[in-house]
Amino acid sequence: MPRTAARTLSAGLALAVLAAACAPAPAPTPAPPTATPYPVWQPAPTPVPDLITPQWGREMLLYLVFVRSFADSDGDGIGDLRGLTDRLDYLNDGDPQTTTDLGVNALWLMPIFAAASYHGYDTVDHFRVNPDYGTREDLITLVQECHRRGIRVLLDYVMGAVSDQHPYFRDAYGNPASPYADWFTWYDEAHTRYKAFANIPSVPTPNGDNPAVQEYALQVARYWLDLDGDGDYTNGIDGLRCDWALAQSHAFWQRLRSELKALNPDLLLLGEVWSTAQDIGTYYRGQFDSTFDFPLYYVLAADPLATGRGVLNLVDPPGFVHGALLQRERYYSAGAQSVIFLNNHDTNRVMSSVQGDEGLARLAATLLFTLPGSPLVYYGEEIGMSGVKGNGQPYWDEYRREPMDWYAAESGPGMTTWFRPADRNNAANDGVSVEEQTNDPASLLAHYRRLIRLRQNWPTLSLGSYERVTVSEGPRSVYSYLRQDAAAQLLVVLNFSRESTAATLDLGATSLPPGPWTATDLLSGAALPSLAGGAYRLELPPLSGLVLHLERF
Ligand SMILES: [Ca+2]
Ligand SMILES: [Ca+2]
Ligand SMILES: [Ca+2]
Ligand SMILES: [Ca+2]
């Protein structure tokens, strides 16, 4: 793989970056990949039915892995699929009784196809695992081991751009007679100027309106859904995270859903629609089961490039979160499932966003795991890794995708070393590593394990209703909500302030049935004053979060 480290690309967000416009030389026309038999697609004769999201997607605890940075199995310093397989017990050992693992039940892998750049968003061969990461057999093994532990696997599905080294583009470049000429959008008669992601010449945009391009994109999806090629599409990849969904037409995504759900109704289609709630809502109509909650992210962190702003930094009141949740009700189809996150591979890491304040990071996590939606953890978030976008001298997003810190010394079996500039964000012996935190019950890692376990043990947090509780007396830094279903009543109370404060919650104005109730904090195990269902007064320590289980007595 030609690795040009200076090339960079932030999937989903247009960023002006440098790119060497190496004019590709025409190459011999490659043969299309061999087609796999599949049912012929027909337009739906009736309107697309309401969204039916797979049940597992509603209880998903998603962990985002950058394979290059996660774990290395062969000592070349580059993370790979076998390395990830070796580390699955860290993520979920498959035994609900043990509590030494994180407990996530789904993985999203950043692109693993053969690509031109380190990040993988510029595909060269859609039908080949990135040789840096391993082989198709390694992927089959990874998926089998994940399934054995109750972990689903989502692949990054990148169809809004390809590498300028992709054979079809190389054939079409400067060659109007190419059979792939109309696979791209040209701005000149010689076919040398073309449409590209964020106008970066190294990542041309295929013309998604061309039926042949659509057919190719569907062929790619089918190929990975049936990893082992036995014709059964239900035992391979469990979901697709659809990159830069805005690049494709609604008609394409509807077609994708219609075709792939016919092969595997339990497939999860998760769309990256980096846009407003109103716009995101238009992608639920017969298209995605789930989308990323960018509106909520902007309320929490304010800006993927900023630090020190938003609700998480006590700049905006936490009630803004409620506003973001209300937009879902207004714009999204019934059954839509938001994926909620504090950071991802395209944003500054949450620990940097809160400027290293671990108290804020802990409170942010407590919020994340008690809100409606599927929580996403970005690898290393659980140990408090930092990451701020670089200025291109010479790196950009690499700083937000640094090697997973397994060891205090930053070296040992499995540690990746592909990115080690002197000005990186994470360091040896800084308290931020799995080794330094794994046996410490007071660590951030232990906090994440408790929150994920809480979410697993209390399905009400995933499936129950959400209702804001009015704070009738107290500062606007206090945010409270009820999560309820037939199984449980949970009352969440969060103090987004560095001061201790007293607050009175107006439970009488909510749908909470009449008490009296006992109240137990599920995070600390502490018993709190009982309540009747009317005004409920609490003393709240600084930056504290309570998840109260209410039980009748
Ligand atoms: Ca390796
Ligand atoms: Ca376990
Ligand atoms: Ca299969
Ligand atoms: Ca460290």
Side-chain angles (χ1 to χ4, degrees), residues 226 228 230 232 235:
D226 183 17
D228 52 9
D230 67 352
D232 178 358
N235 59 0

PDB file of all heavy atoms in Angstrom, residues 226 228 230 232 235, ligand 3:
ATOM      1  N   ASP A 226     -21.916 -11.483   3.340  1.00  0.00           N
ATOM      2  CA  ASP A 226     -21.731 -12.934   3.293  1.00  0.00           C
ATOM      3  C   ASP A 226     -20.234 -13.210   3.218  1.00  0.00           C
ATOM      4  O   ASP A 226     -19.709 -13.650   2.207  1.00  0.00           O
ATOM      5  CB  ASP A 226     -22.456 -13.519   2.082  1.00  0.00           C
ATOM      6  CG  ASP A 226     -22.341 -15.034   2.032  1.00  0.00           C
ATOM      7  OD1 ASP A 226     -21.995 -15.638   3.076  1.00  0.00           O
ATOM      8  OD2 ASP A 226     -22.569 -15.602   0.958  1.00  0.00           O
ATOM      9  N   ASP A 228     -18.259 -15.478   4.331  1.00  0.00           N
ATOM     10  CA  ASP A 228     -17.721 -16.800   4.019  1.00  0.00           C
ATOM     11  C   ASP A 228     -18.223 -17.310   2.669  1.00  0.00           C
ATOM     12  O   ASP A 228     -17.872 -18.414   2.260  1.00  0.00           O
ATOM     13  CB  ASP A 228     -18.054 -17.795   5.132  1.00  0.00           C
ATOM     14  CG  ASP A 228     -19.532 -17.817   5.469  1.00  0.00           C
ATOM     15  OD1 ASP A 228     -20.330 -17.178   4.728  1.00  0.00           O
ATOM     16  OD2 ASP A 228     -19.904 -18.455   6.464  1.00  0.00           O
ATOM     17  N   ASP A 230     -21.071 -18.439   1.636  1.00  0.00           N
ATOM     18  CA  ASP A 230     -21.897 -19.651   1.588  1.00  0.00           C
ATOM     19  C   ASP A 230     -23.336 -19.341   1.182  1.00  0.00           C
ATOM     20  O   ASP A 230     -24.202 -20.210   1.227  1.00  0.00           O
ATOM     21  CB  ASP A 230     -21.861 -20.385   2.935  1.00  0.00           C
ATOM     22  CG  ASP A 230     -22.533 -19.585   4.044  1.00  0.00           C
ATOM     23  OD1 ASP A 230     -22.896 -18.409   3.808  1.00  0.00           O
ATOM     24  OD2 ASP A 230     -22.694 -20.133   5.152  1.00  0.00           O
ATOM     25  N   ASP A 232     -25.401 -17.498   2.748  1.00  0.00           N
ATOM     26  CA  ASP A 232     -26.177 -17.093   3.925  1.00  0.00           C
ATOM     27  C   ASP A 232     -25.688 -15.711   4.367  1.00  0.00           C
ATOM     28  O   ASP A 232     -24.532 -15.564   4.779  1.00  0.00           O
ATOM     29  CB  ASP A 232     -25.991 -18.132   5.036  1.00  0.00           C
ATOM     30  CG  ASP A 232     -26.729 -17.751   6.320  1.00  0.00           C
ATOM     31  OD1 ASP A 232     -27.343 -16.656   6.354  1.00  0.00           O
ATOM     32  OD2 ASP A 232     -26.675 -18.538   7.281  1.00  0.00           O
ATOM     33  N   ASN A 235     -24.914 -14.502   8.774  1.00  0.00           N
ATOM     34  CA  ASN A 235     -23.887 -14.921   9.738  1.00  0.00           C
ATOM     35  C   ASN A 235     -22.563 -14.194   9.519  1.00  0.00           C
ATOM     36  O   ASN A 235     -21.531 -14.636   9.984  1.00  0.00           O
ATOM     37  CB  ASN A 235     -23.685 -16.446   9.688  1.00  0.00           C
ATOM     38  CG  ASN A 235     -23.263 -16.914   8.300  1.00  0.00           C
ATOM     39  OD1 ASN A 235     -23.119 -16.110   7.383  1.00  0.00           O
ATOM     40  ND2 ASN A 235     -23.070 -18.203   8.158  1.00  0.00           N
TER      41      ASN A 235
HETATM   42 CA    CA B   3     -22.453 -16.465   5.087  1.00  0.00          CA
END
